[in-house]
Amino acid sequence: MANKRMFNIKIVDSDAFLDMPLSTQCLYFHLNMRADDDGFIGNPKKIMRMVGCSEDDLKLLIAKRFVLTFENGVIVIKHWKMHNCIQTDRYTPTVYIDEKNMLFIKQNKSYTLDEEKKYIPVSKTETKRNQNGNKMETNRIQSVYTDIDKDTDIDLDIDLDKENRDRVNYQQIADMYNATCEAFPRLTVLSERRKKAIKARLKKYSIDDIQRAFEMAQESDFLKGTNRRNWSATFDWIMCDSNMAKILDGNYANKDNRRTEGRNDTGGQAGRDESLTEMAIRAGIGDSFEGF
C-alpha cells in the first residue's frame, strides 16, 4: 500500500467542508491517511476513537456525503480519486471487493452508489485497465475525469465550478444602482435580504438586464414620484422579481405626448389616463419584497 496521501484543495477549501467543526475536518484527514489505495476503511470507529473525535463527527461526514457507508460498517472516501493518483507499481487493490463493485464513478472522479447510465461502474474501469495495460488506463482516467470544474457533485451539494459562478459581486449591483438611479433613495447598506434578492435576480437576468431596468426606472416619471400619491420606487422595490419584470416590459415608461395631449383638467382624458395607470400598477406598488 502506498504510504503517501494527497488532498484536492477544491474539496477541503469548499464551504461545505470548512463549515464543519474542526474535529470533523480532522477526522476526515485521518480517515484519508489510513484508507487503503482505493479509499476504503474497515475500522472507521477505531480511527475516530484513536484521534479523539466523537461519533457525531463521523455521522456528519456521512450526512455531508464526504464518506459513503456500507451495511457492514465499511466506509469509502467519496472523493478518493479526486484526491489521489497512485502509481500502479505502488498500488495495492482493496480487499473490499464486493463493496467496490457496488460503486460507480462520476465524471468528476467521485464515487457514488447511485446507479445511472452516465456513471461508470468501478469494475469496468478496472477491467479496461487489465485488458489494455496500466499506463493506458491511467491516461484514460486522467483525460476523462480530472476536469472536475465542469461537473457537479450533486451528493455533496457543491459544484466546484459553480461556487465561483455563485460568488456574486453585490457591490457592483449596488454601485450600478447608485450611479444610474440618481432620483431614487441612495443604497448604502447591503443587508442579507438585499443580497438574497440580487442573487435571485441574477439567476434570471444578466447584469446588462439589471442595468437596463435601472435606466428605465430612472427615465420613468411615475416611478420617480410624478403620481397622485407622490410615491417613488426604491432599490428594494425595483429588485422584486415581479416589479423588475414590469419595468423591463415597459409598463412604467412615460406616455407618448401624443396620447396625453388635449384636455388637461382632472375630468379630462389626461386625468382619466393617469387614474387608469395608477389603477393598473397599484398591485405593482404594493408588491412585497418576498418571493426571491
Side-chain angles (χ1 to χ4, degrees):
M1 186 176 78
N3 294 322
K4 294 183 179 179
R5 296 293 182 241
M6 295 176 287
F7 293 92
N8 190 317
I9 188 64
K10 291 189 176 182
I11 297 296
V12 299
D13 200 36
S14 65
D15 287 341
F17 185 82
L18 296 176
D19 283 344
M20 295 189 300
L22 291 178
S23 59
T24 309
Q25 298 178 36
C26 173
L27 178 59
Y28 181 75
F29 286 119
H30 278 280
L31 290 173
N32 274 266
M33 290 302 300
R34 290 166 173 80
D36 64 23
D37 288 349
D38 285 307
F40 287 86
I41 304 157
N43 58 344
K45 291 187 177 181
K46 176 182 177 181
I47 297 173
M48 175 192 73
R49 291 189 293 267
M50 183 173 61
V51 298
C53 296
S54 68
E55 192 165 351
D56 287 340
D57 293 315
L58 182 58
K59 289 180 179 179
L60 184 55
L61 288 175
I62 295 171
K64 289 277 192 176
R65 306 285 289 178
F66 281 100
V67 299
L68 304 178
T69 61
F70 301 90
E71 291 182 359
N72 59 359
V74 174
I75 68 172
V76 64
I77 306 297
K78 178 177 175 62
H79 305 97
W80 179 259
K81 289 184 176 292
M82 297 173 71
H83 288 312
N84 293 278
C85 183
I86 301 174
Q87 297 179 7
T88 36
D89 59 341
R90 299 180 182 178
Y91 168 76
T92 301
T94 184
V95 298
Y96 302 105
I97 303 299
D98 292 339
E99 289 77 10
K100 185 175 181 179
N101 288 336
M102 296 171 62
L103 293 175
F104 296 82
I105 298 180
K106 295 184 177 183
Q107 287 188 343
N108 66 354
K109 291 185 66 177
S110 65
Y111 287 136
T112 180
L113 289 167
D114 296 330
E115 184 176 357
E116 294 188 15
K117 292 182 180 180
K118 63 181 179 179
Y119 300 151
I120 302 175
V122 174
S123 57
K124 287 189 177 181
T125 63
E126 293 300 320
T127 302
K128 184 76 172 180
R129 182 180 62 186
N130 292 335
Q131 290 176 347
N132 296 336
N134 293 332
K135 184 176 181 180
M136 184 173 182
E137 172 61 13
T138 300
N139 291 337
R140 188 185 72 83
I141 290 179
Q142 289 179 345
S143 64
V144 174
Y145 294 130
T146 53
D147 194 1
I148 60 178
D149 285 345
K150 295 183 179 180
D151 191 76
T152 304
D153 188 347
I154 299 175
D155 292 335
L156 186 60
D157 198 27
I158 61 170
D159 177 344
L160 297 175
D161 187 49
K162 183 174 180 295
E163 283 189 349
N164 293 326
R165 297 198 301 269
D166 282 350
R167 289 173 183 167
V168 179
N169 190 340
Y170 301 106
Q171 191 59 50
Q172 178 186 5
I173 303 298
D175 292 341
M176 282 170 46
Y177 168 81
N178 286 331
T180 305
C181 299
E182 297 178 350
F184 301 99
R186 186 173 180 81
L187 177 64
T188 57
V189 178
L190 276 172
S191 64
E192 289 302 317
R193 195 178 189 188
R194 286 170 173 168
K195 288 181 179 179
K196 187 176 180 181
I198 292 172
K199 188 173 182 178
R201 297 297 78 75
L202 286 173
K203 290 181 179 179
K204 182 177 180 180
Y205 302 104
S206 67
I207 291 180
D208 289 339
D209 290 334
I210 295 177
Q211 173 65 33
R212 188 167 72 255
F214 288 158
E215 292 172 353
M216 294 177 70
Q218 175 64 24
E219 294 171 358
S220 170
D221 291 338
F222 186 90
L223 294 183
K224 288 187 291 188
T226 306
N227 53 71
R228 292 185 176 182
R229 290 187 284 173
N230 293 322
W231 169 89
S232 63
T234 63
F235 175 82
D236 294 341
W237 187 90
I238 293 173
M239 292 305 294
C240 182
D241 186 24
S242 59
N243 296 338
M244 180 166 290
K246 292 173 186 176
I247 293 173
L248 291 172
D249 285 344
N251 290 8
Y252 302 110
N254 295 333
K255 294 181 181 179
D256 191 291
N257 290 334
R258 289 173 299 177
R259 299 176 60 185
T260 57
E261 286 178 353
R263 300 166 60 187
N264 293 323
D265 58 290
T266 58
Q269 183 63 39
R272 285 198 298 272
D273 284 348
E274 183 180 6
S275 298
L276 291 172
T277 301
E278 287 193 348
M279 290 174 63
I281 67 171
R282 186 179 301 277
I285 294 176
D287 283 347
S288 64
F289 195 48
E290 303 292 339
F292 301 137

